Amino acid sequence: QGSHSTMSGQPSKPSGPLTQEEKELDFANYFHSYGYLYHQKDMLQDRGRMDAYRNAILENRVRFKDKVVLDVGTGSGVLAIWAAMAGAKRVYAVEATTMAKNARRLARANGFQEVIIVLEGYMEQLSLPEQVDIILSEWMGYFLLRESMLDSVIASRVKYLKPGGALYPSHAQLHMAPLCTQLYHARHAEYVEELAHWQTFGQYMRSTNSIEIDVLDETWRQEQFEYLMQTSHWCQLSPEEVIGESFTCLTLDVHDCTVDQVSSFRSNFRSRILAAAELTALGGWFDVQFCGSEQEPAAVDVELTTAPPSDTHWGQQVFFVSPPQHLLPGDVLEGHVAMTRQRANHRLLWLQITFTITRPSVGEIYPERTLNFRID
């Protein structure tokens, strides 16, 4: 139900932190938290994530046996250990944070110190001594592309993957759907409460400090609206909150997508409404598949989905429609989604959703709306 972007083409020059200043800023903004076990534990106890990667590797031993594997962003090294269990000849496990030390400890504790070579540093700035047969990585962020870790996978693919080699995961899709979610009303009530608190604060400033701050009222309102209503929210949605057909707005083949193609996209969509409800938001989630490559297909295909009601640490991203709009079954939501990276931090995103609502039963088309969001 949508004309979506299919990303393919020739590899482009990957972007990455090059200067020491850029490297330090990127580490502070992004990599820092990954150096702590509590963050690794959050991912390791995500059963949907773990089951998919474990099955994709261990049920495809025939593809990993005697192969050279690169694990990009190994974290605690669990995926690298599974690759070694599957019979890999050698595994290069690359980690940008000091978690690399723990990955080495786990590799040794599990008897794979002779197979797994842990390298600490940025993937783009390291040099491997050989080409690899398989690139393994858990690169997906919220809304699939937040964190921009796919850039490092693309860089390693261009530089190190043998012709015909495989990426795990091999494919990815980004989906969205219209929602009626109570989260909207909770966040809107919080927004109204913040405006009331500001008025109370203004009275205090006037009566106690003899300072008028009314001139800042609109700035406060805008700041709170952008934070509470125009920033995406993490949520675990139930299927009942989805009120219309889902649509796919991005499809990736990880074997040939480029950094330019995952840095921004624009996709048309069309969604038929299935229930009488209030349109309070649109939701976003992703699927990835582990199918191997055309030359080295997986013996067993595995899929990891984050669609509701799946319970993963990625959850789903919710984008509020404010004010909401009442919809009837058969109404059609039609428009386009445009995503780009934030200039101040390339690991964060901007999303714009433009749509109209058509009510075929009476031949009515409602005015076009454009909504802008930060994915922080």
Side-chain angles (χ1 to χ4, degrees):
Q1 289 296 317
S3 139
H4 59 273
S5 303
T6 300
M7 300 303 182
S8 62
Q10 295 301 312
S12 63
K13 183 180 179 181
S15 62
L18 299 175
T19 68
Q20 184 63 25
E21 183 180 0
E22 288 172 328
K23 182 177 179 180
E24 290 174 358
L25 181 61
D26 196 41
F27 189 92
N29 287 337
Y30 172 60
F31 287 108
H32 180 69
S33 64
Y34 284 94
Y36 290 93
L37 275 176
Y38 80 86
H39 198 294
Q40 298 293 325
K41 178 175 174 287
D42 283 345
M43 295 182 287
L44 295 175
Q45 65 189 7
D46 179 339
R47 292 193 176 185
R49 171 190 184 270
M50 295 292 279
D51 289 352
Y53 274 89
R54 186 184 63 249
N55 293 339
I57 298 169
L58 296 183
E59 292 186 11
N60 284 291
R61 293 174 187 266
V62 66
R63 292 306 183 203
F64 280 81
K65 183 172 174 55
D66 298 325
K67 297 295 175 62
V68 178
V69 177
L70 169 60
D71 179 7
V72 180
T74 195
S76 59
V78 168
L79 304 188
I81 290 173
W82 282 337
M85 286 180 177
K89 177 172 63 176
R90 193 156 37 257
V91 182
Y92 294 100
V94 176
E95 173 57 34
T97 76
T98 55
M99 186 56 59
K101 296 178 177 60
N102 291 321
R104 286 192 195 95
R105 294 170 65 193
L106 283 187
R108 180 174 295 277
N110 286 273
F112 293 112
Q113 68 273 16
E114 300 301 323
V115 177
I116 298 173
I117 301 167
V118 179
L119 302 172
E120 183 175 345
Y122 282 87
M123 185 69 244
E124 292 86 341
Q125 297 175 339
L126 292 174
S127 293
L128 301 185
E130 60 184 322
Q131 300 292 100
V132 303
D133 301 290
I134 295 173
I135 295 176
L136 177 66
S137 183
E138 195 272 78
W139 52 263
M140 301 84 71
Y142 294 147
F143 203 63
L144 185 64
L145 297 177
R146 183 186 177 274
E147 299 185 20
S148 302
M149 188 180 163
L150 184 53
D151 291 14
S152 296
V153 175
I154 293 171
S156 62
R157 183 200 73 202
V158 171
K159 192 171 182 181
Y160 295 115
L161 188 64
K162 293 178 182 177
L167 287 110
Y168 282 67
S170 55
H171 298 80
Q173 303 83 37
L174 179 61
H175 309 287
M176 297 187 73
L179 306 175
C180 179
T181 173
Q182 289 304 308
L183 183 61
Y184 168 86
H185 297 289
R187 289 293 179 267
H188 190 265
E190 190 176 343
Y191 167 65
V192 171
E193 185 177 6
E194 288 297 337
L195 296 188
H197 286 166
W198 179 259
Q199 292 302 312
T200 302
F201 176 64
Q203 293 169 6
Y204 155 75
M205 289 296 291
R206 183 182 308 111
S207 61
T208 305
N209 300 308
S210 302
I211 302 292
E212 293 288 345
I213 65 168
D214 293 358
V215 68
L216 301 180
D217 287 359
E218 178 56 23
T219 301
W220 176 260
R221 186 205 65 77
Q222 183 176 343
E223 183 181 289
Q224 294 303 305
F225 190 80
E226 288 177 357
Y227 174 66
L228 291 167
M229 308 305 295
Q230 290 185 313
T231 300
S232 66
H233 290 267
W234 183 94
C235 187
Q236 292 281 12
L237 294 168
S238 69
E240 291 74 26
E241 293 176 280
V242 179
I243 60 171
E245 296 169 330
S246 64
F247 52 90
T248 303
C249 49
L250 182 67
T251 297
L252 296 173
D253 183 338
V254 188
H255 292 92
D256 59 19
C257 64
T258 69
V259 171
D260 287 344
Q261 291 168 330
V262 301
S263 296
S264 64
F265 69 81
R266 186 184 187 277
S267 175
N268 298 329
F269 70 85
R270 185 178 189 274
S271 174
R272 185 170 59 90
I273 301 303
L274 304 175
E278 194 176 43
L279 175 68
T280 59
L282 285 95
W285 54 85
F286 65 85
D287 302 327
V288 298
Q289 295 81 33
F290 302 80
C291 304
S293 65
E294 186 176 344
Q295 294 87 338
E296 292 284 333
V300 178
D301 289 350
V302 174
E303 180 174 64
L304 165 60
T305 182
T306 65
S310 63
D311 181 17
T312 72
H313 77 281
W314 287 286
Q316 297 85 37
Q317 291 291 293
V318 173
F319 307 92
F320 295 135
V321 175
S322 184
Q325 202 158 340
H326 189 73
L327 301 179
L328 298 176
D331 287 356
V332 175
L333 193 70
E334 195 165 9
H336 66 266
V337 175
M339 187 222 77
T340 189
R341 294 177 176 179
Q342 295 183 21
R343 290 184 180 179
N345 186 340
H346 76 285
R347 297 191 183 277
L348 307 180
L349 308 172
W350 285 107
L351 188 74
Q352 184 178 81
I353 305 171
T354 300
F355 66 88
T356 57
I357 295 171
T358 303
R359 184 156 291 164
S361 59
V362 294
E364 188 170 0
I365 301 177
Y366 293 92
E368 182 178 87
R369 299 179 65 177
T370 297
L371 308 174
N372 295 293
F373 302 95
R374 301 173 63 98
I375 306 176
D376 286 341

